[in-house]
Amino acid sequence: MWPLAWSSAPDQRWQPLAPQRARGWSEQDEPLFAAHFQPALLMDILNARGISSHQYLRGSGVFYDDVLAGEQRMSVQQWLQLLTSARALYDGDDLSFRWGHALWPGHYGEFSQLLQGCESLAHVIQVMADYRAVLAPLMSPLLWSDQRYCMISWQDNYGLGEQAAFVAEAYMTGLVGYCRWRSDSHWPWRIGFAHPSPSYREQYDVNLGDAIFFDVGANVLLIERDFLHQRWPSSLSPTALNVAQRHCLQQSQPALGFVAQAMLALRQRKATSLEQLAELFGLSPATCKRKLKKHHSSFQQLQDRVRLEQCQYRFHVCGWTNEQVAAHLGFSDVTNFRRAYKRWCGMTPSASKRRLLGFI
Amino acid sequence: MLDTLAHHRRKLALIFTLLWGALMANLWLGEAKPWHDIDWLDVVGEGGSAIALAVWMLLILGSRPLGRVTDLLTLGLGFMFLAMWQDAVDEFLYLPAEAFWNPLLESVAMPFGIGLLTYGLFHWHREQLAINRQLRGREQVFREHRWLDPLTHIGRADYLKQQIITLSEQQPLVLMMLDLNGFAPFNRRFGHRCGDRLLREVTEVLLLNLRHTDLLCRYAGDRFAILLPFTEQLEARRIGEELRQAIAHFAFKTDDGHSHFQSLRIGMVYCHHERSAEQLITAANQALQLDQPRAKVA
């Protein structure tokens, strides 16, 4: 199965990525991302509250004047540091949600224009996957769909550690808010978060709706497939859209994040052990382990995440039974599978189905 | 805090000049006591009190706006601090009998400072009563600054939950939820600074249209909650309709000076004893979802 794209044919084949984007990886400490794009939107919110840029950029090695000049690039590590100090300085629980609402279409030149020209949710996700370095660098949406339902799971590209919940809140609020804006209606999303229920539940009610579930092991959005291709009124001229598309294609993109690249290999079953993964990447097992650790991950954790993702797709989208999924994943019997599933996300498959699906 | 202190530099300069002068005069005229003559218990007690008084003074200066009450409180504490300081310093020195200012500093500055502080506290009390009148509708009896929303200065969701329990005796009690339509696109279009201002001004408009007994809280984002004690259904509906009208006629001025009108969605529930605060809030939120914006009439 391929991520970052979705099945359009009923036989559930996944479109392969363009080869130049699937090679190599990028790491947490490489300065790859324009500071005047998504990080600047967060800075805007802090500036509006009268928090000085010296405070929230302290120790990150980034200066606001350079951000204004539009030349500054930030690494994921610097970005995470910005998130940490922003959360400490901002008084209130709604920072991630406000940032999320501002993320898309955003102010990213042609990329925003392209996003604004998208005519359906499916199109938006395709554009986000194609230009993830600008539109969704920290987490990328992966779309899985069947005849009736679709699931959008958010993949952590670089190992965000403690800030993963914050980024998930922002990105998922962003996408839900964007769909609401473009379609001018509330959609019946069912939303699952990997983290436990926070003390500020009310922010979720207001920003994301009432079907929200915590502790489900992954960050996922579920909705009927009809919404995926529902046409929105287009706000961009076809010529402008074409030009934006052409300009975006000409820009070079950094390689996938290290964690994303590792998960891709696991998902394609090119690697089933740390040694195989290291060999695939041309690293020694020790170096590979060290790099995983640097990205707040371990081989076991990524493998669990990939398996859970597959289970959730099979259960929640395709409606498979425990037996079918167990056999598909190569478990000898259902009891073993149930035990493993509980280890991945803290609950049994049936509890997960009850929790996240309800009516489905 | 430092920004606020800068407004008070004159008072601070006065107190520190006096302090410095007293210290210099002490050192000039006094003669150091031998170590074994120093009463360390006195030094710690008096010196510690002096430092505590100085800290109180700085805290009051750092947290209060300019004005007469602030001046009085500061000068009162300042003089008390001077007296205590002199007390502590003369533990180290023998002062000659002709240093007339030593007893003056110790015995006059202290009662003078206490007098100023008392007078200041009396006016502070009256000021607080005036503020309480102004705050009515924002808080009921109970105050806890951690539960205040920093943006609009009304209670947050935690405060609301706590107040639902506190006010549950005042039946019939109605919980009303209000949500601004189209706040996210508004933020997108006019920016966060403007969005924050809109929330603050909407808070004011809502407060102006409430009774003294009602409590307004900011639930989250652009959603507000109102607790209406001793209110029957018909009256709650009337108040809801009044709020809807008030917001619809509120001409918010964006930064470019254009008027921008808002609309509300409203959901309300009766607060029965048998339901928990969380259940009531969930029910009110669901009622809110049913109140979809009506199609515009051409």
Side-chain angles (χ1 to χ4, degrees), chain B residues 70-143:
Chain B
T70 312
D71 291 350
L72 287 169
L73 295 178
T74 313
L75 288 175
L77 286 172
F79 278 106
M80 288 165 69
F81 164 62
L82 270 181
M84 273 295 175
W85 179 254
Q86 180 61 28
D87 247 12
V89 166
D90 73 8
E91 294 296 327
F92 294 98
L93 301 164
Y94 291 118
L95 285 173
E98 62 267 29
F100 64 92
W101 42 267
N102 181 35
L104 195 76
L105 255 186
E106 278 183 31
S107 340
V108 180
M110 181 57 92
F112 184 60
I114 289 179
L116 280 180
L117 183 67
T118 313
Y119 188 61
L121 281 174
F122 172 68
H123 281 279
W124 182 42
H125 164 72
R126 306 224 339 212
E127 181 192 274
Q128 191 59 46
L129 289 183
I131 293 175
N132 286 352
R133 276 196 294 281
Q134 202 186 344
L135 282 178
R136 221 167 266 166
R138 290 174 190 256
E139 59 180 28
Q140 297 275 19
V141 192
F142 187 84
R143 172 183 275 195

Side-chain angles (χ1 to χ4, degrees), chain B residues 261-275:
Chain B
F261 291 91
Q262 311 297 320
S263 60
L264 281 182
R265 284 183 297 148
I266 299 181
M268 52 178 96
V269 287
Y270 265 122
C271 299
H272 296 296
H273 282 297
E274 58 266 29
R275 295 167 90 182

